[in-house]
Amino acid sequence: MNRLTTLFPSTMLEDHAEEHGVVEREGKLQIPALVWAFVFGFATGESRTLAGFRRSYNSTADETLTAGGFYHRLTPRLADFLCDLVEQRLDEVAVPHTISDEFDRFRDIIAADGTILRLHEFLADEFQPRKGEQGGARLHLLHNVTDQTIEQFSITDEKAHDSNGFDTGPWLRDRLVLFDQAYFKYRRFALIDENGGYFVSRLKDNANPVITGEFREWRGRAIPLEGKQIQDVAEDLHREIIDVEIEAEFQRRLYEGTRSLDTKQFRVVGVRDEDADDYHLYITNLPREELLPRDIATIYRCRWEVELLFRELKSRYELDEFDTTKKHVVEILVYAALLTLLVSRELLDLVSEYAADEAVFPPERWAATFRSHAQLILHELSQHLGYTPPPLIDRMAEDAQKIHQERPILQERLATATQQEIAN
């Protein structure tokens, strides 16, 4: 429990919540209990409804909150507070390296990707979908494959392109970024290179740059590639690999009302897929002297890690199922899910320290283990924090009652309306 309370000290949570205007210091709401209720309530699955989060809070804190009292505290300020917690703790949570030693030349390997979260149709104005009436949010993540944690995150509407969630800059130095085709832009690749970073991306089908040189000489009647466009010749080749230099033309950013054209040389490699009888083509700035084409293909498979992360969020924590019509509640739930991931990774780091050196913890198996123990962890954490929740029988009686005594439940209202219709 000390590991968790060091990650999120109660005093820090209380002070930070007060700074964000989430709660007054003398208020009834107990912020540490609320944060941990969201973290472990998300993990348990059953508690992923708002009512379930309230039950998690009431089983942790000293004083229970009514349904109205709990929902009243789900505000935009709470969303900002949880977002800030995620940002503050991103750099502090990591697990041991899972990448081969041959990739130690990179400071980190980063996988960029985004996923769609389907929302209520009433949120279509707040989170515009690409098509249809149902609202859609897009969660963008930069997943640090080396440390198994989240580097950056953002939430946009579904219409926003994946690539809008990626900013270039000095932070890229000595880092390798893996992109899917949604992030494909020659200008982006040039900026990564100019900031001292590295990248690998699948080559888009409609990208057809000119080959300016080959990195390998072929004996016999090999087809010369220089001066030809890569997509035009790839289907006519039968060699196992392609390794060429290409020239990409792109526009620089708008400056004083004009965009200047520029060119840059990159490397394109292809590894033949015998089953599909074609090539997997990758564009990169990694030097051939250090990494051969098959090495590039192997590195790119690390991008699967971010796919596993999204699958964990959706399958284990049901992140793509939102039953709310309020934008800030969507944000609260997304930030709570990211906090859950951070706490999960922190506990994985702790378990790794205690386990044998040869122990391996597959991400999805660890996620299932964490979820199955979440309620027990929350109970022990409550005791560690010194909370004394009300007796279980009192909490059960409160949860089972009607929310408002004077308001009949839905079945009673339906029965009354049906009887009146028959009478008329």
Side-chain angles (χ1 to χ4, degrees):
M1 294 303 111
N2 286 332
R3 189 70 165 255
L4 296 180
T5 53
T6 300
L7 183 64
F8 291 113
S10 294
T11 302
M12 181 276 289
L13 293 175
E14 291 165 351
D15 292 343
H16 213 52
E18 190 172 3
E19 291 172 6
H20 278 265
V22 174
V23 65
E24 296 178 0
R25 185 167 291 277
E26 300 303 324
K28 179 180 179 181
L29 182 66
Q30 294 175 305
I31 284 295
L34 182 68
V35 171
W36 292 119
F38 271 116
V39 168
F40 291 103
F42 226 110
T44 58
E46 184 278 331
S47 298
R48 221 194 54 72
T49 63
L50 295 181
F53 285 125
R54 183 176 73 92
R55 284 193 289 271
S56 289
Y57 175 84
N58 286 345
S59 67
T60 304
D62 288 331
E63 297 184 50
T64 61
L65 290 175
T66 64
F70 182 78
Y71 302 144
H72 176 70
R73 288 167 169 82
L74 303 181
T75 64
R77 289 182 176 180
L78 178 61
D80 292 340
F81 166 67
L82 295 178
C83 178
D84 205 38
L85 288 184
V86 177
E87 290 179 342
Q88 285 193 11
R89 292 299 175 261
L90 285 181
D91 292 335
E92 299 185 19
V93 178
V95 296
H97 279 220
T98 58
I99 303 300
S100 173
D101 290 342
E102 64 186 288
F103 303 140
D104 280 347
R105 69 182 303 274
F106 307 115
R107 183 152 58 102
D108 292 299
I109 296 180
I110 307 293
D113 208 348
T115 191
I116 303 299
L117 310 175
R118 193 54 58 203
L119 308 177
H120 197 282
E121 63 183 37
F122 288 172
L123 284 170
D125 289 338
E126 299 280 1
F127 292 102
Q128 294 185 18
R130 285 189 178 273
K131 57 183 179 179
E133 298 181 353
Q134 200 171 357
R138 187 183 294 272
L139 174 62
H140 306 266
L141 291 182
L142 292 187
H143 178 45
N144 189 319
V145 181
T146 307
D147 288 340
Q148 290 290 295
T149 187
I150 302 166
E151 192 77 20
Q152 296 178 19
F153 67 97
S154 63
I155 303 173
T156 65
D157 59 30
E158 184 182 353
K159 274 191 171 182
H161 199 274
D162 272 335
S163 64
N164 293 341
F166 185 89
D167 295 321
T168 54
W171 70 273
L172 288 162
R173 178 168 294 279
D174 296 329
R175 282 178 159 148
L176 170 63
V177 187
L178 310 178
F179 295 110
D180 74 355
Q181 294 179 351
Y183 291 81
F184 190 98
K185 280 186 180 180
Y186 290 135
R187 186 178 69 195
R188 172 173 293 116
F189 300 155
L191 290 172
I192 292 173
D193 187 70
E194 290 160 9
N195 277 284
Y198 302 92
F199 70 90
V200 178
S201 171
R202 286 293 295 269
L203 189 71
K204 292 183 74 171
D205 293 338
N206 61 356
N208 202 10
V210 175
I211 299 170
T212 57
E214 295 190 62
F215 291 110
R216 175 173 175 177
E217 293 184 4
W218 296 88
R219 296 180 180 179
R221 300 173 60 186
I223 299 174
L225 302 183
E226 188 172 344
K228 298 180 180 179
Q229 292 179 286
I230 184 69
Q231 302 284 7
D232 296 345
V233 296
E235 62 182 30
D236 297 326
L237 299 177
H238 300 285
R239 58 189 68 171
E240 291 186 7
I241 63 157
I242 298 171
D243 197 354
V244 297
E245 180 184 69
I246 59 94
E247 182 175 83
E249 184 179 79
F250 60 96
Q251 289 185 320
R252 289 288 183 179
R253 292 185 183 276
L254 189 66
Y255 180 72
E256 294 184 351
T258 61
R259 291 183 183 273
S260 61
L261 281 176
D262 202 352
T263 59
K264 200 169 185 69
Q265 275 65 47
F266 296 118
R267 182 184 175 197
V268 168
V269 303
V271 177
R272 191 164 192 82
D273 182 351
E274 296 298 340
D275 294 333
D277 194 29
D278 63 3
Y279 291 97
H280 289 166
L281 295 173
Y282 306 93
I283 185 170
T284 183
N285 64 340
L286 291 171
R288 188 182 189 278
E289 297 76 28
E290 299 183 27
L291 293 165
L292 298 175
R294 293 194 184 280
D295 297 326
I296 303 295
T298 299
I299 288 174
Y300 191 77
R301 294 192 190 102
C302 293
R303 218 191 66 78
W304 178 242
E305 292 288 336
V306 74
E307 299 290 347
L308 292 177
L309 191 68
F310 284 134
R311 192 159 77 182
E312 180 179 340
L313 284 168
K314 289 186 171 184
S315 65
R316 298 297 180 186
Y317 306 138
E318 301 174 1
L319 189 60
D320 57 344
E321 299 178 16
F322 289 91
D323 187 20
T324 178
T325 60
K326 295 182 178 179
K327 177 177 181 290
H328 63 270
V329 174
V330 170
E331 293 172 343
I332 287 171
L333 294 177
V334 172
Y335 298 142
L338 296 179
L339 285 172
T340 301
L341 276 176
L342 292 176
V343 170
S344 171
R345 297 300 187 266
E346 180 73 6
L347 290 178
L348 175 55
D349 188 22
L350 179 63
V351 170
S352 300
E353 291 176 7
Y354 278 86
D357 291 341
E358 65 274 11
V360 177
F361 301 98
E364 291 199 11
R365 187 174 181 84
W366 167 254
T369 302
F370 174 67
R371 178 176 174 176
S372 65
H373 290 81
Q375 200 60 48
L376 177 61
I377 297 171
L378 181 61
H379 177 70
E380 291 195 10
L381 184 59
S382 173
Q383 293 180 326
H384 180 79
L385 293 172
Y387 291 129
T388 307
L392 178 60
I393 191 67
D394 291 346
R395 284 179 275 137
M396 292 175 63
E398 180 181 345
D399 281 344
Q401 291 181 50
K402 300 175 188 177
I403 295 177
H404 297 291
Q405 291 293 333
E406 71 278 5
R407 187 171 67 192
I409 59 176
L410 179 61
Q411 291 89 334
E412 293 173 349
R413 293 175 61 185
L414 180 60
T416 302
T418 303
Q419 292 171 359
Q420 290 176 348
E421 185 176 344
I422 295 174
N424 293 334

